[in-house]
Amino acid sequence: MTMLSRMGEPIVVNVALGARAYDIVIGRGVLASLGTRVAALKPDAKAAIVTDESVSRYHLKAAEASLASANISSTSVIVPPGEGSKSIASFERVCDALIAAKIERGDLVIALGGGVVGDLAGFAAASVRRGLDYVQVPTTLLAQVDSSVGGKTGINSRHGKNLIGAFHQPILVITDTALLDTLPAREFRAGYAEVAKYGLLGDAAFFSWLEANWKDIFAGGPAREHAIATSCRMKAAFVVRDEGETGDRALLNLGHTFGHAFEASAGFSNRLLHGEAVALGMVMAFSFCARRGLIPVAEAERVERHLAAVGLPTHLSDVSGGLPGIDRLMELMEQDKKVKRGKLTFILVRAIGQAFVAPDVSAADVRAFLAEKI
Ligand SMILES: NC(=O)c1ccc[n+]([C@@H]2O[C@H](COP(=O)([O-])OP(=O)(O)OC[C@H]3O[C@@H](n4cnc5c(N)ncnc54)[C@H](O)[C@@H]3O)[C@@H](O)[C@H]2O)c1
Ligand SMILES: [Zn+2]
């Protein structure tokens, strides 16, 4: 397929949003170029790095050193790791720290971490002084292929996930694939589900390539950069077509309607990570499509085989502690999607790589399908 990047030569994906366009710079070791790239975009800026305790242990020094080498002074704000940091309390702490560090419109916020840090720091950047520039330095596979691109920022409310937030695009994304070498294997696998999702929703050739090359992606070979760049290109294309998420950006939710219900029923806990729930959700979505005669059963089995091969959960029985009954799962899906006259909106497929929005899936069909699966 596409040419692989040579070591040391980053792949640059542009998110073409006119005045708000930005580059995603992807490669092994590109964190070292953070300082010079920031200095080129914002001469004389000072920076505040927002990160979490785990990421800071491994990667904060390198980020600070890169900034210092370009004469950019920086302070850091370190939050506890985990979803709990997407809270009003952490948001307040980060905003106060940015204000105390005198980060102003000419300055910069740097989000160094996974999706939690990216969402939290991005929202603080969107809010303090009505909008500060920020740079994403994603450190999980999920953040590198998904949350660092597209400008969705936010925190959780007691009423649900991501209910408080803003669209605020970064000015630069530095995606250093070597940072993933310290990521726990389970987190890496969970992020991989989102990589596979891009193939499954829109690029059959990419999915075939993943089936052949996934081991090299996990091992940190050149396939890793290619997989991340391909994912970012696809996400960027959706974001450019549909920045405010009113139209076909919804296709990115393949596997997520089932997935969110599983995730919520496991209490958004360590029992089932987001990407694991998405893997399970995609297997369900393909199996649901096979049941409706949209795709051959063998196609659904192929998806399941690949996700199982990398070690992702593909059966409801793979979830430790089990899942609740059908009534609760249906309730969660209906909450998520708002049922209109007994109809749910789902992302379905005509084939691997050909997803579409189906606004009229009957809740009764979904219930009957789940009854077979449980
Ligand atoms: N904004 C968006 O468009 C978008 C899209 C998808 C998901 N999200 C959000 O992203 C969040 C999940 O992100 P995540 O999966 O990256 O989780 P995360 O940020 O919690 O990171 C997972 C764990 O890995 C640790 N970690 C991160 N990088 C590491 C590294 N390089 N080495 C060692 N440990 C490391 C973290 O400390 C954390 O414990 C959710 O809150 C979700 O809502 C946002
Ligand atoms: Zn997702």
Side-chain angles (χ1 to χ4, degrees), residues 142 146 194 197 252-254 256 260 274-275 278:
L142 179 130
D146 190 356
E194 303 280 2
K197 181 189 77 178
L252 295 172
N253 290 331
L254 175 62
H256 280 61
H260 280 153
H274 174 76
V278 169

Side-chain angles (χ1 to χ4, degrees), residues 150-166:
K152 281 211 264 175
T153 73
I155 57 175
N156 304 325
S157 139
R158 77 182 74 214
H159 299 288
K161 257 178 74 82
N162 299 324
L163 290 177
I164 306 168

Side-chain angles (χ1 to χ4, degrees), residues 179-329:
L179 303 188
L180 304 182
D181 294 346
T182 60
L183 190 64
R186 188 180 170 199
E187 294 285 351
F188 192 98
R189 272 199 304 274
Y192 181 84
E194 303 280 2
V195 175
K197 181 189 77 178
Y198 290 108
L200 293 174
L201 76 88
D203 187 342
F206 181 51
F207 185 73
S208 302
W209 181 86
L210 289 173
E211 288 176 310
N213 293 282
W214 67 270
K215 285 187 179 148
D216 192 55
I217 297 172
F218 279 70
R224 184 184 285 177
E225 276 89 88
H226 176 70
I228 291 170
T230 304
S231 302
C232 286
R233 270 187 213 106
M234 209 181 297
K235 173 122 193 211
F238 278 108
V239 168
V240 167
R241 278 205 300 278
D242 182 17
E243 189 181 5
E245 204 171 40
T246 50
D248 78 349
R249 193 164 167 179
L251 294 181
L252 295 172
N253 290 331
L254 175 62
H256 280 61
T257 301
F258 285 119
H260 280 153
F262 302 146
E263 211 183 348
S265 60
F268 295 101
S269 70
N270 251 2
R271 278 173 49 208
L272 190 66
L273 301 179
H274 174 76
E276 294 171 340
V278 169
L280 206 50
M282 291 192 299
V283 170
M284 288 293 175
F286 272 79
S287 165
F288 184 65
C289 290
R291 187 178 185 271
R292 290 166 74 101
L294 279 164
I295 56 168
V297 171
E299 193 94 326
E301 286 170 351
R302 182 179 158 198
V303 173
E304 179 174 339
R305 205 159 45 241
H306 178 58
L307 296 173
V310 310
L312 282 161
T314 53
H315 286 103
L316 297 177
S317 56
D318 293 340
V319 182
S320 78
L323 287 169
I326 295 173
D327 288 341
R328 179 70 185 136
L329 287 174

